[in-house]
Amino acid sequence: MTRPRQRLLTLRDVSEASGVSEMTVSRVLRGKGDVSEATRLKVQEAARSLGYVPNKIAGSLASQRVNLVAVVIPSLGNMVFPEVLSGISATLDGTGLQPVVGVTDYSPEKEEKVLFEMLSWRPSGVIIAGLEHTEASVAMMKRAGIPVVEVLDVDGEPVDAMVGISQRRAGQQMGEAIAAAGYRRIGFVGTGMEHDLRARKRLEGFESALAAHGIEIAVRVRYEGSSALQKGREETANLLDQVPGLDFIYYANDMVGAGGLLELLARGRNIPADIGLAGFNNIELLDGLPLRLATMDACRREAGQKAAEIIAARHNDPKMEGGQRITLTPILQKGQTLRSAP
Amino acid sequence: MTRPRQRLLTLRDVSEASGVSEMTVSRVLRGKGDVSEATRLKVQEAARSLGYVPNKIAGSLASQRVNLVAVVIPSLGNMVFPEVLSGISATLDGTGLQPVVGVTDYSPEKEEKVLFEMLSWRPSGVIIAGLEHTEASVAMMKRAGIPVVEVLDVDGEPVDAMVGISQRRAGQQMGEAIAAAGYRRIGFVGTGMEHDLRARKRLEGFESALAAHGIEIAVRVRYEGSSALQKGREETANLLDQVPGLDFIYYANDMVGAGGLLELLARGRNIPADIGLAGFNNIELLDGLPLRLATMDACRREAGQKAAEIIAARHNDPKMEGGQRITLTPILQKGQTLRSAP
DNA sequence: TTGAAAGCGCTAACAC
DNA sequence: GTGTTAGCGCTTTCAA
């Protein structure tokens, strides 16, 4: 494959350039241990002028510690995971820990591979989306001997710690609000993501809430691929044509929901009196739409923050107990597309 | 800070469990060298049943090779960089190389830190957004002895290789199209990103093209913060109030442009006859809007792909020459918000 | 086809 | 405050 690249600068080079022992150079560069001001300056100057970049591979091997946190998420393409990530980064900043991201494309097999790959770097912790993983993935995480935090869902048993909302409950709440508002003929637009188990749980909760009111989803479609805004329009048109009497559409996420909103507005439909709609995620995009879409916050940023806090705390105090369970509470935003209960 | 974590499984454990020497176990696990089928099976079985995860830190130190590619980008929050990333991942898949992402928040100082941090892991290559970096960053990249590809801009001198569009030329082209269409009183909505040098270059090109037609930008505003759709609406309203005779608005990106479009439609303006508008990036979102916004593709995915190809090729053949320069050509999409030349 | 020895570049632990 | 020694867990090299 590849041949070793040219030799780079080592501690020894800095040591020779500064006339200070390797060990002391190492101390200066890490800011550990007492070093006299004089030698410190000598060393720093030498390192700077040589352009020395320490070798973390060697350092980590020797110290048996790695300042990386593995973050395993399904996708970077839909705004929700970047937000989790941004919560993680913000919290990790200043702890000396660094997130490293792996993407699974919603595939459990790829997740397993990514996890294996990341664990082979011996990170200080794992933050992973969801509670469902292959047996091998679970085994790996358990054996890794590091804090593991599963995020964005709390409906199930975690490997170790978990932080998130109850997706099932979130779906239920939306279903209840819709039924309470008197909507009766309800359509659903879902993603084609077979493996988005959180979306599935939301839908289950949603259906159970409707069932309690004697309502069944009248029609459902799934879209494949991305371009969610456009798909939202198309599938909405689709639904309306299939079932003219529809008075509500529930969308698997805000992006398709926004597309649906644009379509309904284009058709001059009376929202929310005549027909209502709701999405999920509370993405920022909604602020600029002609009407505020009803939605629910998945608390993604907060989940990332809390997860990172757990990792950081346990990194600093390895004796700390694991198994934290933090349930976040999403707020239902009625926006302007869900009428109030009569 | 932290104490070493519990001892994990090592090659020695697999060696003992299988009764095969460490060296041969290593060969099996890496699939290198000739190993008899019998021992191969013994070893694989032992590794699997123990749940052995190799230690890449030790492996990389010993072999002096690391299968990581450092990817340094300003942000994950706006869809353009994730797309570059996805081009990179797709191309790297199957090469044995893995991208590791660092985010700079458009700050040159943070970029320097991120670069230092990543280079200390001795990656096999660097892909970094833009051509402008601190002196120290440039020095680090030059000294690293690995392929470096700067992406998304070709207006300047690269450290090594570069792949992207000419941002200046892109701005010019849009300016020319607008002037040719006969628009004369032109407004500009930019981001508050002081350090988005690519946006700045686009604007320079844009202004120079207008100047060639004796036109100056009549009014410009910058928005701060995110929520680009909403800001697009607000700033558009703002502009129209300040300069009622405006007949074109150029937006720094499609997201604000989409907000502007919604605002103009809400005001019942006649697009593109009465007033035109254009964005930049050709994001997917545009497909679902009531009118297709005029825009220009930044070739982000393609830039990621080409960059990754360069890294992969040079990884496989270190003797290969560096300094590749690939200029991609963005296509101007007139959409429905830019009238044709009279 | 397999094994033994010698490091990779750094840091922990201990001596001075 | 500074230096010395002995590895960290692998892979390279070379011998068997």
Side-chain angles (χ1 to χ4, degrees):
Chain A
M1 200 152 174
T2 342
R3 277 132 307 298
R5 78 176 61 99
Q6 70 184 71
R7 212 184 122 286
L8 295 185
L9 293 173
T10 69
L11 260 192
R12 162 173 241 99
D13 297 302
V14 181
S15 165
E16 284 170 359
S18 61
V20 176
S21 80
E22 282 188 48
M23 196 54 234
T24 300
V25 169
S26 168
R27 287 194 184 98
V28 171
L29 264 26
R30 281 176 301 145
K32 303 269 181 192
D34 293 320
V35 182
S36 74
E37 195 53 23
T39 45
R40 174 185 310 286
L41 290 175
K42 249 193 305 188
V43 169
Q44 284 174 334
E45 171 52 22
R48 215 193 38 67
S49 78
L50 291 174
Y52 172 69
V53 176
N55 184 331
K56 281 219 180 185
I57 305 213
S60 301
L61 181 61
S63 65
Q64 300 289 85
R65 79 189 46 155
V66 181
N67 70 335
L68 301 176
V69 176
V71 179
V72 181
I73 55 181
S75 152
L76 279 174
N78 68 6
M79 241 16 18
V80 9
F81 299 108
E83 263 188 80
V84 176
L85 205 50
S86 113
I88 293 172
S89 304
T91 303
L92 252 31
D93 258 1
T95 64
L97 290 171
Q98 257 209 339
V100 181
V101 179
V103 171
T104 71
D105 294 326
Y106 289 98
S107 150
E109 292 71 35
K110 185 151 184 207
E111 181 181 87
E112 193 178 308
K113 277 186 206 142
V114 167
L115 212 42
F116 184 83
E117 196 70 25
M118 304 202 94
L119 288 178
S120 73
W121 286 103
R122 300 291 187 264
S124 291
V126 174
I127 298 175
I128 185 169
L131 289 163
E132 285 77 20
H133 317 286
T134 67
E135 226 175 282
S137 294
V138 169
M140 269 192 276
M141 291 192 277
K142 284 194 170 144
R143 259 193 309 259
I146 53 178
V148 173
V149 185
E150 290 165 276
V151 293
L152 297 182
D153 187 12
V154 296
D155 299 328
E157 274 307 303
V159 166
D160 174 6
M162 67 180 171
V163 177
I165 67 167
S166 164
Q167 297 281 347
R168 195 165 279 128
R169 180 85 198 89
Q172 259 173 27
Q173 261 185 273
M174 188 56 87
E176 280 159 17
I178 290 168
Y183 294 107
R184 286 298 173 268
R185 286 187 65 71
I186 293 161
F188 173 74
V189 178
T191 70
M193 304 271 62
E194 265 306 299
H195 291 291
D196 187 345
L197 299 171
R198 289 172 292 288
R200 184 180 297 180
K201 288 178 182 177
R202 279 199 306 277
L203 179 56
E204 283 169 18
F206 184 72
E207 288 184 291
S208 79
L210 292 186
H213 289 259
I215 308 174
E216 266 189 24
I217 290 180
V219 54
R220 65 187 75 207
V221 293
R222 308 197 156 272
Y223 71 90
E224 301 286 341
S226 47
S227 187
L229 198 70
Q230 173 68 352
K231 297 288 180 181
R233 299 197 67 149
E234 289 170 7
E235 295 304 344
T236 299
N238 200 345
L239 240 56
L240 294 174
D241 294 343
Q242 280 183 44
V243 187
L246 230 50
D247 66 2
F248 202 94
I249 307 180
Y250 182 45
Y251 296 87
N253 65 59
D254 284 342
M255 204 67 180
V256 266
L261 176 60
L262 292 179
E263 180 63 23
L264 290 171
L265 288 172
R267 290 179 175 226
R269 298 295 300 265
N270 184 358
I271 302 171
D274 178 34
I275 184 165
L277 63 169
F280 182 81
N281 262 341
N282 194 21
I283 58 170
E284 219 173 38
L285 177 74
L286 302 182
D287 293 340
L289 295 175
L291 289 178
R292 278 192 66 80
L293 189 67
T295 189
M296 212 155 178
D297 199 321
C299 307
R300 332 179 265 301
R301 201 186 148 84
E302 198 180 349
Q305 284 169 346
K306 296 273 184 221
E309 279 166 21
I310 290 174
I311 302 279
R314 287 168 61 184
H315 180 72
N316 290 324
D317 175 12
K319 289 165 220 145
M320 184 181 293
E321 286 263 340
Q324 289 85 346
R325 295 173 181 219
I326 301 183
T327 300
L328 305 174
T329 314
I331 312 286
L332 194 154
Q333 322 267 169
K334 289 202 158 186
Q336 301 167 293
T337 67
L338 171 54
R339 67 187 176 224
S340 298
Chain B
M1 200 155 172
T2 342
R3 274 133 307 299
R5 77 174 63 101
Q6 73 188 65
R7 213 184 121 287
L8 294 185
L9 293 173
T10 68
L11 261 192
R12 160 172 243 103
D13 297 301
V14 181
S15 165
E16 285 169 359
S18 61
V20 175
S21 80
E22 282 188 49
M23 197 50 238
T24 301
V25 170
S26 167
R27 287 195 184 98
V28 172
L29 266 24
R30 281 176 299 146
K32 302 272 180 190
D34 293 321
V35 182
S36 74
E37 195 54 24
T39 45
R40 175 186 310 286
L41 289 174
K42 251 194 305 189
V43 169
Q44 283 174 335
E45 170 53 22
R48 215 195 38 68
S49 78
L50 291 174
Y52 171 69
V53 175
N55 184 331
K56 283 220 179 186
I57 305 222
S60 302
L61 181 61
S63 66
Q64 301 289 83
R65 75 189 52 159
V66 181
N67 69 335
L68 302 176
V69 176
V71 180
V72 181
I73 55 181
S75 153
L76 279 174
N78 67 5
M79 240 18 20
V80 7
F81 300 107
E83 261 187 81
V84 176
L85 204 50
S86 113
I88 293 173
S89 304
T91 303
L92 252 31
D93 258 0
T95 64
L97 291 171
Q98 258 210 339
V100 181
V101 180
V103 172
T104 70
D105 295 326
Y106 290 98
S107 148
E109 291 73 34
K110 187 152 183 208
E111 180 180 87
E112 191 177 309
K113 278 187 204 139
V114 166
L115 212 41
F116 184 84
E117 196 71 25
M118 305 201 98
L119 288 179
S120 74
W121 286 103
R122 301 290 186 262
S124 292
V126 174
I127 298 175
I128 186 168
L131 290 164
E132 285 76 22
H133 317 286
T134 68
E135 224 175 285
S137 294
V138 170
M140 269 192 276
M141 291 191 277
K142 284 195 170 144
R143 258 192 310 259
I146 53 178
V148 173
V149 185
E150 290 166 275
V151 293
L152 297 182
D153 186 11
V154 294
D155 299 328
E157 274 306 303
V159 167
D160 174 6
M162 67 181 173
V163 176
I165 67 168
S166 164
Q167 297 281 347
R168 195 165 282 128
R169 180 85 197 91
Q172 258 172 28
Q173 262 186 272
M174 187 58 87
E176 279 158 17
I178 290 168
Y183 295 107
R184 286 298 175 267
R185 286 187 65 73
I186 294 162
F188 173 74
V189 178
T191 70
M193 303 272 62
E194 264 307 299
H195 291 291
D196 187 345
L197 299 173
R198 287 173 293 289
R200 183 180 298 179
K201 288 179 182 178
R202 281 200 302 280
L203 180 56
E204 283 169 15
F206 185 72
E207 289 183 292
S208 77
L210 293 187
H213 290 257
I215 308 174
E216 267 190 25
I217 290 180
V219 52
R220 62 187 77 207
V221 293
R222 310 197 153 269
Y223 70 90
E224 301 285 341
S226 46
S227 188
L229 199 70
Q230 173 68 354
K231 297 288 180 182
R233 298 197 66 148
E234 289 170 8
E235 296 303 345
T236 299
N238 199 346
L239 240 55
L240 294 174
D241 294 345
Q242 280 184 44
V243 186
L246 228 49
D247 65 2
F248 202 94
I249 307 181
Y250 182 44
Y251 297 87
N253 64 59
D254 284 343
M255 203 68 178
V256 267
L261 176 60
L262 292 178
E263 180 63 23
L264 290 172
L265 288 172
R267 291 179 174 224
R269 299 295 299 265
N270 184 359
I271 303 171
D274 179 34
I275 184 166
L277 63 169
F280 183 81
N281 263 342
N282 194 22
I283 59 171
E284 222 171 35
L285 177 74
L286 301 181
D287 292 341
L289 295 175
L291 289 179
R292 280 192 64 81
L293 188 67
T295 189
M296 213 154 177
D297 198 321
C299 306
R300 334 180 259 303
R301 201 185 148 84
E302 199 182 347
Q305 285 170 346
K306 295 277 183 219
E309 278 166 21
I310 291 174
I311 302 279
R314 287 170 60 183
H315 180 71
N316 290 324
D317 175 12
K319 288 166 221 146
M320 183 181 293
E321 285 264 339
Q324 290 84 348
R325 296 174 180 216
I326 301 183
T327 300
L328 305 174
T329 312
I331 311 286
L332 194 154
Q333 322 267 169
K334 288 202 156 186
Q336 302 168 292
T337 67
L338 172 53
R339 66 185 177 225
S340 297

